[in-house]
Amino acid sequence: MANYLRPRELSEALAALASGPHRILAGGTDHFPARVESAPDETLLDISGLAELRGIEVTPRHFRIGAGVTWADLIRAELPACFDGLKLAAREVGGMQIQNAGTIAGNLCNASPAADGLPNLLVLDAAVDLASAEGRRRLPVGEFVAGNRRTLRRPEELVTAILVPRAVEDARSTFLKLGARKYLVISIVMVAACLDVERDRVRSARIAVGACSEVACRLPALEQALAGRALGPSLGAAVEPEHLAPLAPIDDIRASAAYRRQAALVLVRRALDGLGAAW
Ligand SMILES: Cc1cc2nc3c(=O)[nH]c(=O)nc-3n(C[C@H](O)[C@H](O)[C@H](O)COP(=O)(O)OP(=O)(O)OC[C@H]3O[C@@H](n4cnc5c(N)ncnc54)[C@H](O)[C@@H]3O)c2cc1C
């Protein structure tokens, strides 16, 4: 028999999680479509009533994106250019109804290989804050997502926020997504890129590709190759096929592995050409 709780205080939510298994529900846009063929038989803990999870806060060291922040909230927020890539992703997550209900934290916790949020959070060097009745801890996003639909969240923990370090504040970012059509589509490949720049040259680069491995991944060899390069509309010419070695794409109904690998190469080059020309 299903049960439903909608606490108003974080302490109540954590007490519920400590008392036994609960399925956390944020916007429900991943949760409900996965259950259309079966009656709910789990206890739902709806966190949408927790005011303290709403809002984006700027602290001395971080941009703190509460776990209740939706894609639409993010689009409306005034944020520096390092968030441009995440905002581009937000505008392509489903339609407006999905963007109004779905949260960035839900996208991360669902840990789909095709989640559009993760590559952007990887290039922002983001971390997640987790809370339980026992205490709090923080994990880098790249560690938190451990596999296809697997995270390091313990059953009694709630993700309370995503943290983006102020250290990346002056960087510029972009995001490109390839699907079978323009809107309402699951990604075949997506690319997030973020550059720190000093005197018309790349000081440091962070590049991540999604939907081409179990978990979206950064491309460290490419990031190193880009350091010190002059900016310009041909920055993407620095990308060699070997730089994509960490990818392990699969054949599925959306695309073959070979197509994904080729598309990733093209998208990474395009993303860098675009960022290189933007300064
Ligand atoms: C029509 C449609 C189109 C979509 N298009 C896209 C798309 O283009 N790109 C894309 O990436 N996704 C897409 N999605 C998937 C989904 O909308 C997003 O992943 C969304 O961000 C999920 O957020 P949510 O708040 O609805 O998560 P929910 O469905 O509420 O939760 C998802 C999972 O995360 C867990 N969870 C949620 N919040 C927390 C928390 N704070 N702490 C711990 N666990 C938590 C839940 O228990 C559940 O397992 C689409 C979905 C639909 C229905």
Side-chain angles (χ1 to χ4, degrees):
M1 179 66 186
N3 234 321
Y4 175 81
L5 301 174
R6 189 169 184 266
R8 294 289 179 169
E9 301 291 334
L10 180 60
S11 55
E12 281 177 66
L14 299 182
L17 286 170
S19 72
H22 286 73
R23 169 66 63 178
I24 296 166
L25 187 71
T29 63
D30 272 316
H31 174 84
F32 288 116
R35 284 160 181 79
V36 284
E37 285 177 1
S38 56
D41 61 351
E42 48 199 354
T43 302
L44 291 179
L45 178 67
D46 181 344
I47 58 170
S48 63
L50 299 177
E52 60 191 287
L53 301 190
R54 303 295 301 214
I56 301 175
E57 199 189 332
V58 187
T59 73
R61 297 187 61 190
H62 294 102
F63 295 91
R64 189 178 183 282
I65 303 171
V69 171
T70 64
W71 294 107
D73 293 334
L74 181 92
I75 292 167
R76 283 192 291 263
E78 271 190 40
L79 291 166
C82 65
F83 284 97
D84 286 356
L86 191 59
K87 285 192 171 192
L88 284 168
R91 290 192 182 91
E92 293 195 49
V93 171
M96 282 174 76
Q97 296 96 328
I98 298 295
Q99 292 162 18
N100 282 335
T103 60
I104 303 154
N107 185 257
L108 191 61
C109 292
N110 194 55
S112 159
D116 288 326
L118 182 56
N120 290 289
L121 296 173
L122 287 173
V123 301
L124 289 172
D125 276 339
V128 284
D129 266 359
L130 295 133
S132 72
E134 297 297 306
R136 291 173 183 259
R137 64 183 179 129
R138 184 168 294 173
L139 286 176
V141 158
E143 270 177 48
F144 175 69
V145 182
N148 183 358
R149 313 267 173 192
R150 278 190 300 118
T151 70
L152 294 189
R153 184 182 75 83
R154 298 179 190 131
E156 70 280 11
E157 286 179 320
L158 183 72
V159 168
T160 52
I162 296 168
L163 293 123
V164 173
R166 298 278 303 266
V168 304
E169 188 168 356
D170 295 330
R172 288 216 185 164
S173 70
T174 193
F175 174 75
L176 294 177
K177 166 173 173 171
L178 175 72
R181 53 179 190 268
K182 182 71 186 120
Y183 289 108
L184 278 171
V185 70
I186 297 178
S187 294
I188 292 172
V189 177
M190 69 281 209
V191 169
C194 190
L195 299 182
D196 299 298
V197 167
E198 197 169 2
R199 278 189 235 106
D200 295 338
R201 291 195 173 266
V202 177
R203 188 173 64 225
S204 59
R206 293 174 295 281
I207 319 291
V209 177
C212 283
S213 45
E214 198 184 359
V215 179
C217 60
R218 295 259 298 259
L219 301 177
L222 174 59
E223 294 177 1
Q224 277 170 26
L226 286 166
R229 289 248 172 189
L231 294 171
S234 306
L235 185 61
V239 188
E240 301 293 344
E242 308 82 79
H243 291 142
L244 274 61
L247 305 185
I250 56 162
D251 296 323
D252 68 10
I253 49 161
R254 282 185 285 280
S256 67
Y259 178 82
R260 280 197 159 94
R261 197 173 280 285
Q262 181 60 25
L265 183 64
V266 172
L267 253 62
V268 173
R269 285 181 174 151
R270 271 187 205 161
L272 289 170
D273 285 348
L275 273 183
W279 260 279

